Amino acid sequence: MSNPALDKIIEELKNYDGREIRLMEVCGTHTAAISENGIPSMLSDKIKLISGPGCPVCVTVTAVIDTLIELSLTEKTCVLTFGDLIRVKGTDGSLADAKARGGNVRMVYSPMDSIKLAKDNPDTNFVFAAIGFETTTPVYALLIEEAEKLRLKNIKILTSLKTMPEVIRWVVKNAGNIDGFIAPGHVAAVTGGGIFNDLSKELGIPFVVSGFEGEQLLMTIYALLKMAGKGGYKNLYKSAVSEEGNLSAKEKVAKYFEVSDSSWRGMGKIPGSGMALKPEYRQFDAGSYGLDEDHEPAGCRCASVLVGAISPHECPLFGKKCTPDNAHGACMVSTEGSCYNYFISGR
Ligand code: SF4
């Protein structure tokens, strides 16, 4: 069915001929949705979409991967992880390489799978690689709650949990030159859109909370184009995002976690940009503190890609030494990574 209002927006976006506008999508799922929907080809050359630091696997530093590898090679210890992280290289190979060398690594689909494993295998210590943003942290809180309730002593998490506001401040201060942000819809569903309203006022840059459908993304880009240079905030994903967010999820997170400093690939340690277990729950921590070191694979430019300083195409290894089947850097491993999505979609 034709939609004249949307057709007009598409036409305006394609024919825009004002000053160059740079818009950052912070969330890896938006990066994937933008590529899948062919959005860049629908825009004028003067509207640049830049991918930001919102792919959890991509921003995880090598010290975390190295520690997980070490744990997987420890007697009676099993490391549990989501699929993407297993292929990301640490200082000396990936978790998949460690598994091939006899490391005990298992992929799971939900952190809650680890409860059954821990109950069924009391002689094995399970360590869940707890990476992610505000969206995922409530699930780790539920995991700890369940482990506590069942008095399971053989389950811990290695945390590299991150939050959005401080890294956005970091990107604005250090990478700069951004005219608007496509605010992450899934994160906002948990935190509430209010945090992005606050950021827009503080930074004087517009934020629009967006859904993940092609039409929603086009409406968001159009709104940002109109708001560029003026600032402001809009929530165009009201079906999922309220201003206050998911109060029960936030309450659960606040029970088990506290704000911490966190190290990001390519950005170093950013104060207040992470979540760590509170001291009273540290018996569930597998050694997450002080994991700050980061060594990118030789020639990899993920650090610059993650802050929008370069496009994936500007990495000399893109599509040559580094492809999804033979990923050299983290941004090509994850389905939410910028390099992966630029390669798959030809963006
Ligand atoms: Fe790193 Fe590969 Fe991306 Fe280059 S193309 S920045 S090597 S992930």
Side-chain angles (χ1 to χ4, degrees), residues 300-302 305 315 317-318 322 328-332 339:
C300 176
R301 304 283 313 276
C302 274
V305 169
C315 170
L317 307 186
F318 180 83
C322 186
H328 189 59
C331 299
M332 190 62 92
C339 299

Side-chain angles (χ1 to χ4, degrees), residues 16-345:
Y16 172 75
D17 196 26
R19 73 173 172 94
E20 184 177 289
I21 296 290
R22 288 164 51 85
L23 305 176
M24 176 174 273
E25 83 269 3
V26 191
C27 162
T29 315
H30 274 148
T31 301
I34 285 167
S35 297
E36 278 159 22
N37 285 285
I39 302 283
S41 66
M42 300 167 85
L43 306 178
S44 151
D45 288 346
K46 293 197 166 177
I47 304 173
K48 305 279 184 214
L49 296 182
I50 312 151
S51 304
C55 156
V57 163
C58 307
V59 294
T60 300
V61 294
T62 44
V64 172
I65 293 158
D66 293 347
T67 304
L68 289 166
I69 288 172
E70 203 180 308
L71 287 164
S72 79
L73 295 165
T74 304
E75 209 183 331
K76 292 187 177 177
T77 303
C78 176
V79 168
L80 304 173
T81 175
F82 294 133
D84 283 351
L85 190 69
I86 202 166
R87 291 173 54 219
V88 177
K89 287 178 185 161
T91 308
D92 185 21
S94 63
L95 276 164
D97 297 328
K99 189 173 163 77
R101 295 204 312 266
N104 195 353
V105 181
R106 278 179 78 153
M107 280 196 287
V108 288
Y109 293 100
S110 159
M112 298 310 279
D113 295 344
S114 49
I115 293 289
K116 183 169 184 338
L117 284 166
K119 274 200 306 194
D120 293 348
N121 302 278
D123 294 333
T124 303
N125 294 312
F126 290 91
V127 176
F128 200 98
I131 67 162
F133 289 93
E134 289 95 329
T135 329
T136 330
T137 311
V139 187
Y140 296 118
L142 285 176
L143 166 64
I144 300 301
E145 183 180 62
E146 194 64 10
E148 195 187 19
K149 197 166 84 190
L150 298 173
R151 299 184 182 193
L152 292 172
K153 300 243 182 301
N154 60 332
I155 184 142
K156 294 183 193 297
I157 57 177
L158 192 84
T159 61
S160 183
L161 293 167
K162 304 201 183 315
T163 54
M164 280 289 169
E166 290 304 330
V167 76
I168 288 175
R169 288 188 182 98
W170 191 99
V171 166
V172 169
K173 188 169 168 216
N174 296 282
N177 200 14
I178 293 163
D179 297 294
F181 283 96
I182 301 174
H186 292 145
V187 166
V190 175
T191 62
I195 65 164
F196 298 105
N197 192 3
D198 293 345
L199 278 171
S200 72
K201 288 179 192 150
E202 176 191 323
L203 301 170
I205 298 174
F207 282 73
V208 176
V209 180
S210 180
F212 297 86
E213 303 292 329
E215 282 184 19
Q216 292 172 319
L217 285 161
L218 287 168
M219 306 278 274
T220 296
I221 293 164
Y222 183 74
L224 285 168
L225 188 64
K226 298 288 170 192
M227 293 156 81
K230 299 185 212 125
Y233 162 79
K234 273 191 182 165
N235 177 3
L236 297 184
Y237 193 30
K238 287 197 172 135
S239 58
V241 176
S242 64
E243 289 314 284
E244 68 277 8
N246 183 333
L247 297 179
S248 69
K250 289 203 283 191
E251 203 176 294
K252 197 74 80 190
V253 168
K255 179 175 178 194
Y256 293 101
F257 293 95
E258 63 184 8
V259 173
S260 68
D261 299 344
S262 189
S263 289
W264 297 64
R265 170 155 296 166
M267 290 163 262
K269 190 185 274 195
I270 303 180
S273 68
M275 298 296 278
L277 280 167
K278 284 182 162 176
E280 57 269 41
Y281 296 107
R282 296 243 168 112
Q283 71 269 27
F284 293 108
D285 186 86
S288 313
Y289 302 92
L291 300 181
D292 300 321
E293 273 193 51
D294 194 33
H295 312 284
E296 284 213 78
C300 176
R301 304 283 313 276
C302 274
S304 300
V305 169
L306 282 166
V307 297
I310 65 166
S311 129
H313 299 284
E314 292 174 74
C315 170
L317 307 186
F318 180 83
K320 299 179 185 100
K321 192 175 171 188
C322 186
T323 63
D325 287 338
N326 186 24
H328 189 59
C331 299
M332 190 62 92
V333 170
S334 172
T335 52
E336 294 194 347
S338 310
C339 299
Y340 174 91
N341 279 290
Y342 276 64
F343 184 88
I344 291 291
S345 68

